[in-house]
Amino acid sequence: MTTTTSTSPVLEARGVIMRFGGLTAVRDVDLTVNTGEIVGLIGPNGAGKTTFFNCLTGLYVPTEGKVSYKGKVLPPKPHLVTSAGIARTFQNIRLFANMTVLENVLVGRHTRTKEGLWSALLRGPGFRKAETASRERAMELLEFIGLAHKADHLSRNLPYGEQRKLEIARALASEPGLLLLDEPTAGMNPQETRATEELIFAIRDQGIAVLVIEHDIRFIMNLCDRVAVLVQGEKIVEGPAEVVQADERVIAAYLGTPFEGSPGAEELAEVEAAEATAGDDAESATSKEGTAQ
Amino acid sequence: MATTDNTAEITAPARGLIALPQTAARSLIAVGAVATIASTFMSWTYTADFPGDLTYYGSPAGLQILDLVAGALTLLFALTLFDVRGLRWLNPAGATAPVALAAASAFAVSWFSAIAIAVDLKGLVALDPGAYIAALGSLIALVGALALPSPGDTFKDWVSKPDRIPAAQQIPGWAERLVITGATAVALIVFTYGIGVDPDASETFIGYLLLVVLGTWALQSAGLFDRFAELNARHKGFATSMAFLAAAVFPFVENNEHNANLGVNILVVATVALGLNIVVGLTGLLDLGYVAFLGVGAYAAALVSGSEFSRFSGVQFPFWAAMLTGMAASLVFGVLIGAPTLRLRGDYLAIVTLGFGEIFRISVNNLDGSSGPNLTNGPNGISMIPDLDIFGFNFGNAHDIGSITLGRFANYFLLMLIITGIVVVVFNRAADSRIGRSWIAIREDETAATAMGINGFRVKLIAFALGASLAGLAGTVSAHVGYSVNPAPYQFAGSVPPNSAFLLAAVVLGGMGTVNGPILGATLLYLLPEKLGFLKEYQLFAFGVALVILMRFRPEGIIANRRRQLEFHETDQLDIPEQGLPASTVGVTKAGA
């Protein structure tokens, strides 16, 4: 991993609590993302990861706690959060299906352009200049994610992986200081996942901090400088990937804990032996795949 | 199973529905078409009682003219199958579908005429030999067309475009402009003929509809409309100005006050439908009370028109000021209604706008001095609105231009055309800009749009206010055209346009989010009840049936918004997000790579 020169916090969430009636989805979560950092947020299904994301981006107003971006407390309105400098993608792709690829990215430029209805109707030189500049920037972004040749396609006609990429480009168009990615590799095959990994590193190298929710542990471990684990709305561990991976509570949260009167030692040994052989097979299979590439 | 069927289909030689040698089939079409054309120069019936008077030899009239056009179209398409030089452009892919559709149009017009004559005039005795020849000739042509190689197994294959249409030959720019001019002129002739059909001659109008629908379809299935769209895209400004020129020529060609009045009303409704299209088509807000804004504009203009029934009868604004007043009043109402309601989404918004629309009508009905302050003169409305006078040009008088006299409605038609032009420009410019993109983004996915930094409420309010003020603008003219305003037409649904349901239907039928769609939709919806007098009390029923049929077979509207020329991908192919994650991601990667 590259070492970051400065460590000023981009995003600071302090004591965020989100209650829906009697249900507390997020309990008192603190999280800090520093400049040039890629932070992972993992946890079992229903742990409150996306709810926490929505609290950060203003889609939900947290019941308690505050979220600040570069030292300023964020207003609880999604469009204000975006113009402040936080952009996001969605767990289930939410592109503008009947707009072209280029138009999708242009919509992302909304907060960084000012032209209103009057200038659109009068079409003065200022309007044309801003429109050309927006288009150029949008094409640069499409170039960056490798979709420039499909700029005129309807986004609904893109294959799945490219739709994911386009969502990232659209988020980048708002010139964010922090990018929130909600399961960017869901439904992707290993090659696509690797490509996404490269893309996220490239984004980080542009000086944009990244906070990513993911289920794919291997992906998270390769990618992230720091990982936070959310279980039932609570952050139970935070630290470097290796530390988190070895943490007992994390394993317990994902796999469950052995209960009293659990299967005898003999059965356990049998299961472990079986798993070991299966694991070997799997290991050799993946290594073959690796050499094939 | 399906795949084996498909391969069998590809390898087997294409055969027609009727087994005949190909040369024979082609000759049959040509012979049938010629017979149909010839028959139109003969008498079809012996009395002049049938609308259009089809008794003359040597001069086609009414339905005969339509049949002549249908026959000629069939003959031309048949000749393309014989590889006649110079006709290649008419049917670039050499497809059979346009030939079949053209033959069907001739068949439909001929047989409809013969049956209508027999029914109207009590029996087959009323038919002269000409009618028999028309019926027989068109039948022969249709049989020949059905014997052509079948484009596919289903009905859909017979009426759709071939997959691959060879690219058009390069022709010089001036020739392209000439083609656009010619096509616009043809469109003007077709439209003028339709609007000029005598309202009592419903038979002729039905024949006209049969010909226009099937004939247009034939041209579309030959791929000519796609080519024309390409030409238009290349000469956008020229094509638009030609279209407006053609519309401006209309009152000169159709020099009849009643038809000019029809033209004005169509333009008013089309303009309002365009304004509604900003709200419904671009921004995706279902507004069921939109006609109220037309009413606000009309009432505002009426109040300052100087009419003696107006509350402010001494006040007479010049037209430009009245226009601005109407727009401003509608704008204010739009913001007042929009501000509380636009926080709602979907069905809730629709219900609330429906309510506000009715509130407008009921308030206007009651602001008569007895049940409320006197402002609108209640159900009697404001009548005797004086004609407009712009720079000394009085719109109420007839004016001579050269040898042509332009009457009152022709004057208003030209004024309204300018306003329609302004609204078209406003629509186009607004749609293709930062604000237009944010409207479309909100229509597509409001949550994602706000996450992209769009202030949803603000942007929706702008759309609502812009739509309202455009309707108000049209309202100011319509108040003067109609001499008076009263609350009755500004309701949700009714048999007489304009009402909210009618406007919405015009937008949806024509094609949401397009410029041409609502104009075409408004024209059709306004013209059909006008010309098909016999429908009378079944008008709403027929309207409902037509809506259901269209929504079943062409839910995107007559003119689909393809968001520019996106020809390279058919939709439905890689349409993943709707169905959730694909079962095999690898397959998708391959498809994408």
Side-chain angles (χ1 to χ4, degrees):
Chain A
M1 297 296 148
T2 51
T3 50
T4 48
T5 45
S6 70
T7 51
S8 62
V10 179
L11 176 87
E12 271 187 296
R14 287 283 162 267
V16 173
I17 299 178
M18 185 72 214
R19 289 198 195 93
F20 297 102
L23 175 84
T24 310
V26 178
R27 286 166 212 262
D28 202 13
V29 174
D30 292 343
L31 189 75
T32 308
V33 181
N34 295 318
T35 42
E37 226 182 358
I38 301 178
V39 177
L41 187 62
I42 61 170
N45 284 326
K49 303 183 294 292
T50 300
T51 309
F52 181 63
F53 247 43
N54 287 345
C55 289
L56 297 183
T57 53
L59 274 180
Y60 295 154
V61 182
T63 323
E64 276 173 50
K66 68 170 189 185
V67 181
S68 46
Y69 172 78
K70 290 190 176 164
K72 279 183 210 143
V73 177
L74 285 172
K77 285 265 196 259
H79 65 272
L80 296 179
V81 170
T82 310
S83 58
I86 299 183
R88 70 169 295 178
T89 67
F90 291 89
Q91 185 176 355
N92 38 352
I93 301 173
R94 301 189 83 148
L95 287 171
F96 307 121
N98 289 316
M99 298 177 90
T100 64
V101 167
L102 180 66
E103 283 171 330
N104 266 280
V105 183
L106 284 173
V107 170
R109 299 276 313 153
H110 190 88
T111 53
R112 301 294 168 239
T113 44
K114 289 282 165 283
E115 281 61 44
L117 182 64
W118 284 115
S119 76
L121 295 184
L122 298 174
R123 297 271 150 129
F127 175 84
R128 285 168 203 282
K129 218 167 129 189
E131 196 78 346
T132 323
S134 271
R135 270 167 210 276
E136 273 169 15
R137 177 74 189 125
M139 284 310 292
E140 272 171 32
L141 281 168
L142 287 179
E143 207 80 59
F144 174 64
I145 59 158
L147 277 181
H149 60 293
K150 289 193 171 179
D152 287 333
H153 288 222
L154 284 188
S155 69
R156 61 190 285 181
N157 290 335
L158 292 185
Y160 183 78
E162 292 182 354
Q163 292 199 358
R164 284 259 178 231
K165 277 190 195 167
L166 177 56
E167 233 196 353
I168 294 175
R170 188 180 66 175
L172 288 176
S174 67
E175 293 167 16
L178 172 68
L179 182 63
L180 306 183
L181 301 172
D182 199 346
E183 300 200 14
T185 67
M188 285 189 174
N189 65 19
Q191 289 94 318
E192 287 174 311
T193 306
R194 205 150 307 140
T196 309
E197 217 172 275
E198 296 302 319
L199 182 63
I200 294 174
F201 281 133
I203 290 168
R204 195 263 318 268
D205 293 343
Q206 294 186 350
I208 299 168
V210 180
L211 176 61
V212 51
I213 291 182
E214 192 44 77
H215 274 301
D216 186 336
I217 295 293
R218 193 180 302 164
F219 173 75
I220 280 283
M221 296 305 155
N222 285 344
L223 191 70
C224 298
D225 304 323
R226 215 142 41 77
V227 178
V229 185
L230 219 56
V231 176
Q232 293 189 342
E234 267 175 302
K235 189 176 82 175
I236 53 170
V237 201
E238 186 184 337
E242 310 79 55
V243 176
V244 169
Q245 205 170 10
D247 193 285
E248 267 177 27
R249 288 165 298 177
V250 177
I251 297 167
Y254 271 92
L255 303 175
T257 44
F259 55 93
E260 293 300 318
S262 56
E266 289 170 27
E267 280 111 324
L268 195 66
E270 252 173 57
V271 171
E272 268 173 0
E275 273 178 354
T277 45
D280 283 347
D281 289 349
E283 203 62 45
S284 57
T286 42
S287 62
K288 261 178 210 161
E289 193 185 84
T291 49
Q293 282 174 6
Chain B
M1 290 292 281
T3 47
T4 49
D5 283 351
N6 280 340
T7 47
E9 205 174 279
I10 290 161
T11 47
R15 254 180 301 158
L17 295 176
I18 299 165
L20 272 179
Q22 283 313 297
T23 339
R26 290 173 194 176
S27 312
L28 273 186
I29 306 172
V31 169
V34 170
T36 312
I37 294 169
S39 77
T40 62
F41 289 92
M42 302 162 80
S43 163
W44 281 13
T45 179
Y46 60 84
T47 80
D49 290 345
F50 190 77
D53 192 358
L54 314 178
T55 57
Y56 295 108
Y57 277 86
S59 88
L63 281 164
Q64 292 174 323
I65 298 177
L66 298 169
D67 208 21
L68 175 62
V69 175
L73 199 63
T74 315
L75 185 61
L76 283 176
F77 272 118
L79 291 179
T80 62
L81 295 183
F82 284 111
D83 278 334
V84 174
R85 278 176 61 85
L87 279 179
R88 196 81 197 132
W89 61 273
L90 194 59
N91 189 359
T96 51
V99 188
L101 282 165
S105 76
F107 178 78
V109 175
S110 306
W111 281 72
F112 167 75
S113 312
I115 292 168
I117 293 170
V119 171
D120 279 8
L121 303 179
K122 312 229 166 7
L124 293 174
V125 284
L127 294 174
D128 268 2
Y132 287 111
I133 295 177
L136 204 64
S138 61
L139 180 65
I140 291 174
L142 187 64
V143 168
L146 291 181
L148 291 173
S150 157
D153 286 339
T154 59
F155 173 72
K156 212 177 160 192
D157 296 319
W158 277 98
V159 295
S160 52
K161 269 183 300 197
D163 292 334
R164 261 182 299 153
I165 297 172
Q169 250 181 339
Q170 282 297 319
I171 53 172
W174 60 267
E176 291 186 337
R177 281 158 196 253
L178 207 62
V179 171
I180 294 174
T181 314
T184 317
V186 170
L188 176 66
I189 291 168
V190 170
F191 176 75
T192 313
Y193 185 88
I195 210 171
V197 172
D198 184 0
D200 296 328
S202 296
E203 289 85 352
T204 313
F205 197 75
I206 294 178
Y208 169 78
L209 282 183
L210 286 172
L211 174 62
V212 168
V213 170
L214 288 168
T216 320
W217 208 336
L219 296 179
Q220 151 79 14
S221 69
L224 291 183
F225 280 105
D226 290 358
R227 283 195 172 180
F228 189 64
E230 275 170 38
L231 278 190
N232 269 345
R234 230 173 293 151
H235 304 273
K236 215 171 170 193
F238 180 74
T240 318
S241 30
M242 279 317 290
F244 271 97
L245 193 65
V249 166
F250 168 75
F252 295 92
V253 183
E254 181 58 47
N255 207 351
N256 168 322
E257 276 296 83
H258 176 72
N259 293 338
N261 186 14
L262 269 183
V264 183
N265 288 335
I266 287 175
L267 278 185
V268 168
V269 176
T271 309
V272 181
L274 260 182
L276 179 61
N277 199 17
I278 293 179
V279 180
V280 176
L282 291 183
T283 324
L285 307 167
L286 185 52
D287 185 350
L288 296 181
Y290 187 70
V291 81
F293 300 125
L294 178 70
V296 171
Y299 264 96
L303 282 172
V304 299
S305 67
S307 154
E308 54 182 291
F309 292 94
S310 156
R311 182 82 172 75
F312 318 105
S313 54
V315 182
Q316 180 163 15
F317 280 18
F319 178 63
W320 61 267
M323 210 166 77
L324 290 180
T325 312
M327 278 181 82
S330 291
L331 180 79
V332 169
F333 269 74
V335 172
L336 282 182
I337 294 177
T341 55
L342 287 175
R343 298 175 193 280
L344 302 172
R345 287 190 191 185
D347 306 355
Y348 304 102
L349 178 71
I351 294 294
V352 171
T353 52
L354 175 64
F356 270 105
E358 289 298 289
I359 287 172
F360 167 75
R361 184 173 59 86
I362 294 165
S363 312
V364 165
N365 231 332
N366 287 293
L367 290 175
D368 57 354
S370 60
S371 39
N374 184 11
L375 183 64
T376 62
N377 215 7
N380 295 328
I382 300 166
S383 49
M384 289 182 69
I385 298 173
D387 277 306
L388 288 174
D389 198 314
I390 303 178
F391 302 125
F393 183 93
N394 189 308
F395 279 71
N397 301 336
H399 295 267
D400 287 333
I401 294 181
S403 59
I404 298 165
T405 309
L406 287 184
R408 178 177 186 271
F409 290 113
N411 295 334
Y412 279 115
F413 180 89
L414 292 175
L415 174 68
M416 199 55 222
L417 187 65
I418 294 171
I419 290 179
T420 309
I422 293 171
V423 173
V424 168
V425 170
V426 166
F427 183 94
N428 272 335
R429 291 196 162 179
D432 182 27
S433 72
R434 170 175 175 267
I435 196 98
R437 284 192 295 269
S438 59
W439 288 336
I440 299 169
I442 284 196
R443 179 191 71 196
E444 294 290 315
D445 188 333
E446 190 166 345
T447 307
T450 50
M452 288 306 114
I454 294 169
N455 183 345
F457 175 69
R458 188 186 136 87
V459 168
K460 285 196 284 184
L461 194 61
I462 292 176
F464 213 72
L466 180 65
S469 41
L470 294 181
L473 177 63
T476 54
V477 179
S478 82
H480 286 275
V481 175
Y483 298 108
S484 69
V485 288
N486 65 73
Y490 307 112
Q491 52 188 344
F492 171 65
S495 51
V496 199
N499 52 63
S500 294
F502 175 91
L503 293 172
L504 202 59
V507 173
V508 175
L509 282 183
M512 289 201 277
T514 61
V515 172
N516 301 332
I519 295 178
L520 181 69
T523 310
L524 282 179
L525 288 183
Y526 199 89
L527 212 51
L528 293 188
E530 198 69 35
K531 295 293 177 188
L532 301 177
F534 65 93
L535 279 177
K536 285 192 189 84
E537 60 266 44
Y538 302 111
Q539 223 175 70
L540 277 177
F541 173 72
F543 177 52
V545 170
L547 256 181
V548 169
I549 291 175
L550 197 82
M551 287 300 106
R552 165 64 186 80
F553 291 104
R554 203 171 163 79
E556 67 272 38
I558 300 170
I559 295 174
N561 176 16
R562 302 209 52 176
R563 296 198 53 74
R564 316 228 176 90
Q565 295 167 319
L566 298 160
E567 303 263 359
F568 10 87
H569 272 273
E570 276 309 308
T571 47
D572 309 332
Q573 264 189 344
L574 293 162
D575 211 5
I576 290 128
E578 306 229 329
Q579 284 110 45
L581 302 186
S584 147
T585 46
V586 183
V588 172
T589 332
K590 273 182 191 156

